[in-house]
Each structure stands twice: as C-alpha cells, then as structure tokens.
Amino acid sequence: EAGVAQSPRYKIIEKRQSVAFWCNPISGHATLYWYQQILGQGPKLLIQFQNNGVVDDSQLPKDRFSAERLKGVDSTLKIQPAKLEDSAVYLCASSLGRGRGRPYNEQFFGPGTRLTVL
Amino acid sequence: GQQLNQSPQSMFIQEGEDVSMNCTSSSIFNTWLWYKQDPGEGPVLLIALYKAGELTSNGRLTAQFGITRKDSFLNISASIPSDVGIYFCAGAGGTSYGKLTFGQGTILTVHP
C-alpha cells in the first residue's frame, strides 16, 4: 500500500514570495491533516479536513496560509506572502477518519516539505 | 490548551542497553500514540494505545497508557544503532476528534 506522498521535498524562497505544497493521502483515508514542524519541536496541527470539509483550522494563520481539498483526496497548502518564521517542515498526514472504528486517530505521515525562507 | 511534557529531552546510551522515556499531560487523553522520526523523514507510527492501563508491545518496544490517562511510557529493550532518532508521544482527547497534540520529542543516540 502506498504511503502519503508530498511534493516538493525542499523549497527555498525569499520572504514575501508565495509557495504551495501538495499532498496525496493514503487511498481510502477520509481525514487529512497539515502540520508545521519547527526545528527541535513536535509537529503542530495547522488544519484538518474530513473528506473535503474543514474540521479544525484554529491554528492556521489565515492572513497568509490557505489550504484546500477540493475533491476529498489531494490537498494543497499555500503560504502568501511568506515570512522568515515560516521556515519549517510542513508535514501532511492522513487517517481513516470518523466512523471507521478504533484506529481513527492513527495518523500516517508523509516525508514532509522542508521550507526555507530567506 | 493541552500541553505534553516529554522527558528526557535527549539520551545517549550504549548498544544493548534498555531505554525508557515518558510523556505527561495537563489534560486527560483518550488515545496515546508513539512515533519515531528519522532525519529528513516524517514521523512513523510505532504503537497506539486506547485504554487506561493498556500495555502494548511492538517487537522490542513496549508502551503503556497511564492509569490516570495523563501519562504514557515507552520502553525500548536491547537497543541497536538503528534505534537512533527522535521519539514523539502524541495524545488525542475526547473533545478534539482526531486532533493530536505532540510532545517536544526525545532524541536518542545509540553508541555501538
């Protein structure tokens, strides 16, 4: 079974530029998550989708970050404009989702995109 | 908000030694998960715990869901060099469906 795919793996941009990340979850996983992981810290949830609807985006800096999951499968996360403090690894994860039984909290992560903002 | 305190922050051990790390929370969790992250990769799920007092093993790894539901422990027996990495605990509460709160991580170094 294929895992969570993310691209690009690395991105270097200047501050105030825009950037977009793409994620393809595990087939059949209804729930998709975007996390930000700053060096030396654990991942922090930015946004959670259930199919194509947003479940939780309370930690998403909405003035510059946006995310969508139009057909309930792939997702994109965009930053516009980027700031220096956005330098981090952006992780995508997926899980089976609601109503699927006990393992709904078992999230499987992609390799991440390492963003450097200069 | 919910906070997780993970300790120790780092460990330096000899190959063959056993390792213990733990995670404590200010809030009750319904689920505890343990992940391992290698450099340049995403976290990989090691063990999932769903009931207070539950003890679960995965090879040389054993994890326990604390009775108070505010803590969890991970033990690694007979460590080997490939155990090197960062170990994260993560908890999910009853009112935050699917949302995981992560600890700060424990950096494990194993000397051959």
Side-chain angles (χ1 to χ4, degrees), chain B:
Chain B
Q2 295 170 326
Q3 292 187 349
L4 291 186
N5 291 313
Q6 192 170 344
S7 65
Q9 287 188 337
S10 60
M11 303 181 73
F12 298 84
I13 62 169
Q14 290 292 127
E15 183 177 357
E17 290 183 353
D18 297 343
V19 173
S20 291
M21 59 190 78
N22 68 80
C23 216
T24 59
S25 169
S26 57
S27 307
I28 289 173
F29 283 125
N30 293 330
T31 304
W32 283 97
L33 304 174
W34 285 92
Y35 287 86
K36 181 188 178 214
Q37 188 172 27
D38 291 329
E41 300 296 330
V44 173
L45 182 62
L46 299 173
I47 292 180
L49 302 159
Y50 292 96
K51 286 176 59 175
E54 180 179 356
L55 187 71
T56 298
S57 292
N58 178 7
R60 293 178 296 103
L61 277 62
T62 302
Q64 184 162 24
F65 193 140
I67 292 292
T68 65
R69 294 169 63 194
K70 291 185 176 182
D71 55 6
S72 181
F73 307 87
L74 176 70
N75 296 314
I76 305 172
S77 62
S79 58
I80 58 178
S82 62
D83 290 334
V84 165
I86 305 176
Y87 291 79
F88 289 99
C89 61
T95 59
S96 54
Y97 200 102
K99 178 178 178 178
L100 292 181
T101 300
F102 280 81
Q104 310 97 310
T106 294
I107 302 171
L108 178 63
T109 304
V110 180
H111 293 289

Side-chain angles (χ1 to χ4, degrees), chain A residues 17-30:
Chain A
Q17 285 187 324
S18 325
V19 64
F21 313 125
W22 172 82
C23 173
N24 181 249
I26 293 173
S27 178
H29 279 196

